[in-house]
């Protein structure tokens, strides 16, 4: 089974490198870059989802399982309106929306708006803050952050316009309709201590114990095994 691995905001496909030694031979992992990340050319400013779908069509085949982490999962779900659905969609560290105002934990719309304002003031400092923030749920947050900086280096892997567009998608994409009538099976996976998820999303998900938003860093073997297990159980 092919696994198409999609990364999140401000982070390119290098986030999946820690899993390399742990994949079972039942799956074929394939990392894909979003436009504007790595060597993939950026989309025009304020591009719509249709333009993203057109760019990603050849990299998101239907004869595969898509694995979307964080913003990558939010976008992959939204693209189900534009592309042929995969065998299944595995969402890691994301639910129907990125923010939640139900006082149930996770990120509120106000916090996200504050983050966007900070990004407009100082994109580099805000990106670095986000790296630290999303590591807070790991059993050793300092070590997870060190690993993340070791993978990514000291500068974002996308330009400011691409990152700003990603924040807009985090603030506006709402996939509740896809969850209500999914065109393919959608499965949630979540770190039990993920600081970016509301409690009810973590309760609805298949949980990865003793990890947070970045299980690739703290629990790569556990994550690879769980993704492979869920992918190989999907009917074809």
């Amino acid at each position: 089974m092919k696994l198409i691995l999609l990364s999140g905001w401000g982070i390119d496909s290098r986030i999946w490198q820690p899993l390399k030694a742990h994949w079972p031979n039942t799956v074929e992992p394939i990392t894909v870059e979003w436009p504007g990340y790595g060597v993939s050319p950026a989309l025009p400013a304020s591009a719509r989802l249709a333009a993203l779908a057109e760019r990603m069509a050849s990299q998101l085949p239907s004869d595969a399982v898509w694995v979307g982490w964080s913003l990558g999962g939010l976008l992959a779900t939204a693209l189900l309106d534009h592309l042929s659905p995969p065998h299944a969609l595995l969402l890691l560290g994301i639910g129907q929306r990125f923010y939640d105002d139900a006082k149930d934990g996770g990120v509120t719309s106000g916090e996200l708006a504050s983050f966007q304002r900070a990004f407009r003031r100082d994109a580099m400092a805000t990106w670095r803050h986000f790296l630290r923030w999303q590591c807070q749920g790991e059993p050793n947050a300092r070590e997870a952050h060190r690993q993340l900086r070791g993978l990514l280096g000291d500068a974002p892997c996308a330009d400011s316009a691409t990152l700003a567009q990603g924040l807009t998608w985090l603030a506006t994409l709402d996939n509740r309709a896809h969850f209500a009538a999914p065109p393919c099976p959608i499965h949630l996976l979540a770190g039990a201590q993920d600081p970016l998820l509301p409690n009810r999303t973590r309760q609805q998900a298949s949980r990865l114990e003793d990890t947070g938003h970045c299980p690739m860093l703290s629990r790569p073997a556990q994550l690879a095994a769980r993704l492979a297990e869920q992918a190989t159980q999907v009917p074809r």
Side-chain angles (χ1 to χ4, degrees), residues 1-228:
M1 175 67 75
K2 287 187 289 189
L3 286 185
I4 308 299
L5 306 175
L6 300 158
S7 53
W9 185 81
I11 294 177
D12 62 17
S13 63
R14 287 174 289 183
I15 189 64
W16 301 105
Q17 286 181 7
L19 277 67
K20 187 176 180 180
H22 303 288
W23 291 113
N25 57 16
T26 53
V27 297
E28 177 190 356
I30 301 169
T31 55
V32 169
E33 296 289 17
W34 293 109
Y37 286 81
V39 298
S40 178
L43 290 171
S46 302
R48 296 183 179 273
L49 283 173
L52 178 65
E54 183 178 1
R55 176 73 68 82
M56 298 297 293
S58 64
Q59 301 182 74
L60 293 175
S62 59
D63 63 336
V65 170
W66 301 352
V67 179
W69 172 58
S70 200
L71 174 60
L74 202 65
L75 286 171
T77 309
L79 290 179
L80 294 174
D81 280 338
H82 301 269
L83 300 174
S84 298
H87 290 311
L89 182 57
L90 306 184
L91 301 181
L92 175 63
I94 195 69
Q96 299 174 8
R97 297 186 299 184
F98 178 71
Y99 66 89
D100 190 284
D101 287 329
K103 297 182 180 179
D104 190 39
V107 180
T108 66
S109 58
E111 288 171 330
L112 181 54
S114 295
F115 189 85
Q116 288 177 288
R117 290 192 295 271
F119 181 83
R120 288 192 289 270
R121 290 193 300 269
D122 190 333
M124 181 73 75
T126 307
W127 174 76
R128 288 174 174 165
H129 169 72
F130 187 71
L131 297 190
R132 292 190 297 271
W133 184 18
Q134 65 183 346
C135 289
Q136 290 308 303
E138 306 312 321
N140 186 332
R142 181 174 294 181
E143 172 60 19
H145 182 249
R146 185 196 67 77
Q147 288 179 263
L148 193 55
R149 291 293 296 272
L151 286 171
L152 302 179
D154 295 325
C157 43
D159 62 29
S160 293
T162 296
L163 295 174
Q165 176 64 76
L167 290 178
T168 298
W169 276 326
L170 286 175
T172 58
L173 288 180
D174 185 338
N175 289 319
R176 283 178 288 185
H178 295 94
F179 277 69
C184 67
I186 299 176
H187 301 289
L188 301 180
L189 293 89
Q193 286 81 47
D194 190 333
L196 305 187
L197 286 182
N199 293 325
R200 70 176 178 278
T201 300
R202 282 185 269 129
Q203 293 300 319
Q204 293 166 355
S206 172
R207 289 190 298 281
L208 299 161
E209 298 303 326
D210 200 26
T211 188
H213 196 66
C214 300
M216 310 83 152
L217 304 175
S218 60
R219 297 289 182 265
Q222 181 186 5
L223 176 59
R226 187 71 62 85
L227 290 173

